Amino acid sequence: MERQKINYDFTKMKGIFQRPEELNNFALERMEKVAYLLRDKEKYHCPADCNDCCYGSILMSYTEFTLIMLYLQHNWTREETAALFRERVGLLQNDESLLCPFLQEEAGARHCRIYPARPLICRVFGTTASPCKKPVTPSPLNDELFYQAYNLFYYGSGRFIALDIDRKWSVYEAPFAFWCLADDSEESRSFLRSFIEEKGDSFRAVLYDQEAKMFFYYSKGHKEIIST
Ligand code: SF4
Ligand code: SF4
């Protein structure tokens, strides 16, 4: 079955590769710390034919999104990146979630095209915190360690990291395609705002209401408050 795509031309994006140097350095420093924290935990590489944990909403922080964009800039050709935005970013898995654009589903292909830069949520699969379905040996990862890594990606100088869509809403945790829209231009942010309001009952992202000072999911036309 042919997959549907979000009705936005992601090849129009111009600004998302021009991120401030300080932000790039911040993301690299944080990744170095997380890699150190998890240094004994990622003992195995996933079998090439397994992608069991790659479906559903794969949410990430702005820091992790920045790291992926850096990885693409340094490791992919312009043509590969152009094809990614043309063919994969915004592809829908079903009515309820976006497909991860880096997933390779062809038989025998290594499942992840950005394995060294994959988000934390993908790294913790296969640990005792979230065991794999396949018979790989999980390495232990306790909650404390997970949240230390999580906080490094999601918080800086004691404040959470988010990106404003407009004066009212910010994005805190979202799939890759949402971060692209939030990060590119006023036009793409405005598309994202209306997309969330229209489809918010289906697509997961954690947003922040700046006036009410609360995190929420947008669900069936209503805010589902997570915390203040
Ligand atoms: S983490 Fe586990 S379930 Fe996910 S791709 Fe690797 S082996 Fe498969
Ligand atoms: S980033 Fe890689 S490991 Fe994570 S969901 Fe996508 S394909 Fe799977």
Side-chain angles (χ1 to χ4, degrees), residues 46 50-58 60 68 99-104 110-115 117-123 125:
C46 304
C50 181
N51 57 22
D52 288 358
C53 62
C54 297
Y55 292 91
S57 294
I58 306 294
M60 63 188 79
I68 292 174
L99 188 71
C100 173
F102 306 108
L103 174 62
Q104 299 199 107
R110 288 193 71 81
H111 70 278
C112 178
R113 294 185 74 197
I114 54 155
Y115 198 75
R118 69 200 188 287
L120 180 64
I121 189 69
C122 308
R123 289 169 195 268
F125 272 100

Side-chain angles (χ1 to χ4, degrees), residues 6 10 13 65 89-91 98 101 174-182 192:
I6 288 182
F10 285 87
M13 299 195 145
F65 170 72
V89 177
L91 212 52
L98 281 152
F176 184 83
F178 278 19
W179 280 120
C180 290
L181 292 165
L192 177 59

Side-chain angles (χ1 to χ4, degrees), residues 27-28 31 62-72 117 153:
L28 289 167
M31 185 66 237
Y62 187 47
T63 314
E64 292 165 296
F65 170 72
T66 301
L67 282 163
I68 292 174
M69 297 305 272
L70 282 172
Y71 182 82
L72 296 181
F153 281 141

